[in-house]
Amino acid sequence: MATCVFDLQASPAQDAEALGQVFKGRGSDGIIIAILGHRNVDQRQEIKKAYEDIYEENLIQRLESEISGDFEKAVYLWMLEPAYRDAVLMNEAIKNGPKDYHVIAEIACVLSAQELLAVRSAYHDRYKLSLEEDVASHTTGHLRQLLVGLVGSYRYEGDEINAKLTRIEANVLHESIKEKKANYEEVIMILTTRSKNQLVATLNSYRDEHGISISKKLVDQKSNDFLKVLHTAIRCINDPKKYYEKALRNIMKKLGTDEDGLSRVVVTRAEKDLKDIKELYYKRNSVHLEDEVSKETSGNYKKFILTLLG
Amino acid sequence: MATCVFDLQASPAQDAEALGQVFKGRGSDGIIIAILGHRNVDQRQEIKKAYEDIYEENLIQRLESEISGDFEKAVYLWMLEPAYRDAVLMNEAIKNGPKDYHVIAEIACVLSAQELLAVRSAYHDRYKLSLEEDVASHTTGHLRQLLVGLVGSYRYEGDEINAKLTRIEANVLHESIKEKKANYEEVIMILTTRSKNQLVATLNSYRDEHGISISKKLVDQKSNDFLKVLHTAIRCINDPKKYYEKALRNIMKKLGTDEDGLSRVVVTRAEKDLKDIKELYYKRNSVHLEDEVSKETSGNYKKFILTLLG
């Protein structure tokens, strides 16, 4: 089977057969990397179908049962349809608790209205309950209101901006964050219901008025789970690529590297804006992301992530 | 043109032409009733298209400009696609203020997850903002949280019920309503995120435990806008047909009749469960809904509503 491995023209059935050989122990993990790392989202779905036809088992479930480390987990995420992948990441974040709630905000705020809806629908299908009820039953208070509002948002995506509103709401944000506790209800409504264009205009108005961005302001005094999630939501709405660049920078700086975070960002952005994020990364850090990843990771996991980065 | 009026086999183009004649003053309103009252939702969309082809103007906008009374308004609602119709009704309820907020809860709770989403999408298209931000900017406090949560809901629709949860949450509902103010945050999360099947089980558990339904309990002490909306939401989730029967009963009892309410219920349910609602009405009141409508309304409006009821 190894002959088809580096053949970019291989059919989904050939790819599926090669994967089956790996699971049977007659091929190496290198085959998985070589095949799947070079197949786009549609091709991967075809491979899944072909695998099921040939081996009469579900490839995703097979991969799930093989998950034993960062490599398997990254491959598993890569093989999921995007909406299901985000549903799985949301579910993990809910289970992991407050330290991962920024992931919920990240996914909810980066996706378009329609994409987020597809994630909610995938969540129903996979977990037999709604994303928002799962979030609600793990959280309380303002944090809950914010997270439930973010995952339930279905924002207007037109260009129209209400200019008068930007100044009023920039002021509401300023006052609430200054006094903490204060007016979180208003902040939550603004962040969870306004269109992204409106919010970006509001954030610009905030900066014009106060000479500092609201997200810098929040970093200075970030102190509880609510404000941390708020911070992530604002940054993901304001400039997702910049957010991801910074996220990768923080991941790389961590002792031992945060493989879950690295896999999440690389796998979810690979077919979207990873190229731009890599450029931003180089511009900001004067070092290529690939080189950093090479230093910080190893083995098949390293090979796989580098393939997706390439 | 009058020859095609009672022809159930008329083409959309023939129907559209007949409508054009009415607008030019060369036909009577009776033609509108005879044609549109007998065309289903798909046929009406075809007529709209044919009208635009023939007269080079939008039929809906034409109808809107003709609206001067209950008849024109009912015809206008009837001609809108269901999702746009519900968006218009939601928008009116928001503008009318607290006395109409039960309409927001009614529509949000009666529709399926997918139907409600179509209304949100129609709302974007028509009003250039999101339904939830419009609701949020007209309301405050718990009432806002409840309404925004209801219109943003995308409930799981599977059969699975968490039986343990029903008793716990029936108890939460009981305690919160008993003490008023108390625990509204929990009540809101339960009502806006749980599946309808789960909620019906919770409401049954409430009745088993307390010997009275929560909606009767709420009637006994209903005292503010929040509790009124909560009451509507609970009844629409628990048994929409029973809710509509009662709504019609209340409309008929009002001095002068509430034509807006009557049109809303008849037009929105005509192609869904109006037949069942009529039967329930007869069973409960020992009088046919048509007879009551005949007594309480007049003119073209009466003829049109009776056509839809027939």
Side-chain angles (χ1 to χ4, degrees), chain A residues 32-33 36-42 44-45 48 60 63 67 69-89 92 103 106-107 110-111 115 244 247-248 251-252 258-275 277-278 289 293 300-310:
Chain A
I32 295 181
I33 300 168
L36 298 181
H38 293 100
R39 299 293 181 258
N40 69 30
V41 60
D42 295 330
R44 298 198 300 276
Q45 298 316 310
K48 224 156 40 180
I60 296 293
L63 283 167
I67 290 180
D70 299 321
F71 169 61
E72 288 84 355
K73 189 164 169 206
V75 170
Y76 164 68
L77 287 176
W78 179 241
M79 286 303 290
L80 289 170
E81 287 172 64
Y84 279 81
R85 180 198 300 145
D86 286 332
V88 167
L89 291 168
E92 262 181 21
V103 175
E106 170 191 303
I107 297 173
V110 165
L111 297 183
E115 287 168 339
Y244 282 120
L248 287 169
I251 289 165
M252 287 303 141
D258 165 15
E259 277 84 1
D260 277 349
L262 180 60
S263 299
R264 184 182 82 251
V265 175
V266 171
V267 168
T268 58
R269 306 319 295 174
E271 290 171 299
K272 293 185 168 171
D273 49 12
L274 191 55
K275 194 165 166 286
I277 295 167
K278 271 164 49 183
L289 179 58
V293 169
N300 284 328
Y301 178 70
K302 168 173 155 178
K303 279 186 218 155
F304 185 61
I305 295 294
L306 286 176
T307 305
L308 297 189
L309 280 171

Side-chain angles (χ1 to χ4, degrees), chain B residues 93-285:
Chain B
I94 293 169
K95 284 192 294 194
N96 289 344
K99 74 177 173 54
D100 274 10
Y101 287 165
H102 67 283
V103 175
I104 300 173
E106 170 191 303
I107 297 173
C109 293
V110 166
L111 298 181
S112 71
Q114 209 49 47
E115 287 168 338
L116 178 55
L117 191 84
V119 175
R120 293 170 82 185
S121 174
Y123 209 94
H124 285 187
D125 189 36
R126 189 171 177 114
Y127 300 106
K128 306 300 172 203
L129 81 175
S130 72
L131 173 56
E132 51 274 29
E133 75 182 304
D134 213 4
V135 170
S137 63
H138 284 79
T139 50
T140 57
H142 286 128
L143 178 61
R144 171 163 74 174
Q145 269 181 53
L146 177 59
L147 286 170
V148 168
L150 290 176
V151 302
S153 67
Y154 185 72
R155 302 180 195 275
Y156 174 60
E157 292 178 340
D159 289 331
E160 296 84 355
I161 286 170
N162 181 333
K164 219 177 76 188
L165 216 55
T166 60
R167 296 198 52 192
I168 296 170
E169 298 195 336
N171 206 40
V172 172
L173 295 178
H174 179 71
E175 293 299 317
S176 315
I177 288 163
K178 204 176 60 183
E179 301 169 30
K180 292 190 180 168
K181 64 176 184 16
N183 216 357
Y184 284 168
E185 304 271 332
E186 288 305 318
V187 172
I188 292 166
M189 283 299 159
I190 292 170
L191 259 293
T192 59
T193 66
R194 293 298 182 201
S195 78
K196 290 184 186 177
N197 284 329
Q198 179 73 36
L199 283 170
V200 168
T202 297
L203 298 174
N204 287 334
S205 168
Y206 183 102
R207 193 164 36 216
D208 292 345
E209 200 73 21
H210 303 288
I212 179 176
S213 78
I214 187 170
S215 78
K216 285 222 175 59
K217 188 89 190 163
L218 277 166
V219 170
D220 292 348
Q221 59 168 51
K222 163 164 89 168
S223 60
N224 63 37
D225 294 332
F226 173 80
L227 289 174
K228 278 181 207 163
V229 168
L230 183 69
H231 187 226
T232 301
I234 287 172
R235 292 178 55 227
C236 289
I237 288 166
N238 197 41
D239 191 340
K241 289 176 195 173
K242 205 170 144 194
Y243 166 83
Y244 282 121
E245 184 284 320
K246 177 87 180 287
L248 287 169
R249 199 181 338 144
N250 288 337
I251 288 165
M252 289 301 142
K253 260 193 233 156
K254 272 191 200 164
L255 285 170
T257 315
D258 166 13
E259 277 83 1
D260 276 349
L262 180 60
S263 300
R264 184 183 81 250
V265 176
V266 172
V267 168
T268 58
R269 307 319 295 174
E271 290 170 302
K272 294 188 168 169
D273 49 12
L274 191 55
K275 196 165 165 287
D276 298 338
I277 295 167
K278 271 164 52 181
E279 276 169 25
L280 271 183
Y281 191 92
Y282 182 72
K283 230 166 147 178
R284 176 66 178 73
N285 305 287

Side-chain angles (χ1 to χ4, degrees), chain A residues 151-162:
Chain A
V151 302
S153 68
Y154 185 72
R155 302 180 194 274
Y156 174 60
E157 291 178 340
D159 289 332
E160 296 84 354
I161 286 170
N162 181 334

Side-chain angles (χ1 to χ4, degrees), chain A residues 7-286:
Chain A
D7 180 2
L8 283 172
Q9 306 298 321
S11 71
Q14 286 174 310
D15 284 347
E17 246 182 275
L19 291 175
Q21 298 297 323
V22 176
F23 297 140
K24 283 181 192 152
R26 283 183 227 131
S28 76
D29 288 343
I31 296 178
I32 295 181
I33 300 168
I35 295 177
L36 298 181
H38 293 100
R39 299 293 181 258
N40 69 30
V41 60
D42 295 330
Q43 291 170 324
R44 298 198 300 276
Q45 298 316 310
E46 284 172 37
I47 292 171
K48 224 156 40 180
K49 213 179 148 298
Y51 184 90
E52 193 146 359
D53 289 346
I54 299 169
Y55 296 103
E56 293 178 351
E57 70 171 5
N58 182 300
L59 176 56
I60 296 293
Q61 279 165 10
R62 179 68 201 223
L63 283 167
E64 247 180 310
S65 76
E66 301 266 332
I67 290 180
S68 61
D70 299 321
F71 169 61
E72 288 84 355
K73 189 164 169 206
V75 170
Y76 164 68
L77 287 176
W78 179 241
M79 286 303 290
L80 289 170
E81 287 172 64
Y84 279 81
R85 180 198 300 145
D86 286 332
V88 167
L89 291 168
M90 289 272 205
N91 184 260
E92 262 181 21
I94 293 169
K95 286 192 294 196
N96 287 345
K99 73 176 175 51
D100 273 10
Y101 287 166
H102 67 282
V103 175
I104 300 173
E106 170 191 303
I107 297 173
C109 293
V110 165
L111 297 183
S112 71
Q114 210 50 46
E115 287 168 339
L116 178 55
L117 191 83
V119 176
R120 293 169 84 185
S121 175
Y123 209 93
H124 285 187
D125 189 38
R126 191 174 175 110
Y127 300 107
K128 306 301 170 201
L129 83 175
S130 72
L131 173 55
E132 51 273 30
E133 75 184 302
D134 214 3
V135 170
S137 64
H138 284 79
T139 49
T140 57
H142 286 128
L143 178 62
R144 171 163 74 173
Q145 270 183 51
L146 177 61
L147 286 170
V148 168
L150 291 175
V151 302
S153 68
Y154 185 72
R155 302 180 194 274
Y156 174 60
E157 291 178 340
D159 289 332
E160 296 84 354
I161 286 170
N162 181 334
K164 219 176 77 188
L165 214 56
T166 59
R167 296 197 52 191
I168 296 170
E169 298 195 336
N171 206 39
V172 171
L173 294 178
H174 179 70
E175 292 300 316
S176 316
I177 288 163
K178 204 176 59 182
E179 301 168 30
K180 292 193 182 168
K181 67 175 182 15
N183 215 0
Y184 285 166
E185 305 270 332
E186 289 305 318
V187 172
I188 292 166
M189 283 299 160
I190 292 170
L191 259 293
T192 59
T193 68
R194 295 296 182 202
S195 78
K196 289 184 184 176
N197 284 329
Q198 180 73 36
L199 283 170
V200 168
T202 298
L203 298 174
N204 286 335
S205 168
Y206 183 103
R207 192 165 34 217
D208 293 345
E209 200 72 23
H210 304 287
I212 179 176
S213 77
I214 187 169
S215 79
K216 285 227 174 55
K217 188 88 188 165
L218 277 165
V219 170
D220 291 348
Q221 59 170 52
K222 170 164 83 166
S223 60
N224 62 39
D225 294 333
F226 173 80
L227 289 174
K228 277 181 208 162
V229 168
L230 184 70
H231 187 227
T232 300
I234 287 172
R235 291 178 56 228
C236 288
I237 288 167
N238 196 42
D239 192 339
K241 289 176 195 172
K242 205 169 143 193
Y243 165 84
Y244 282 120
E245 183 283 321
K246 178 86 179 287
L248 287 169
R249 198 179 342 142
N250 288 337
I251 289 165
M252 287 303 141
K253 259 193 234 158
K254 272 191 200 166
L255 284 173
T257 315
D258 165 15
E259 277 84 1
D260 277 349
L262 180 60
S263 299
R264 184 182 82 251
V265 175
V266 171
V267 168
T268 58
R269 306 319 295 174
E271 290 171 299
K272 293 185 168 171
D273 49 12
L274 191 55
K275 194 165 166 286
D276 298 338
I277 295 167
K278 271 164 49 183
E279 275 170 25
L280 272 183
Y281 191 94
Y282 182 72
K283 229 164 148 181
R284 175 65 179 76
N285 305 287
S286 306

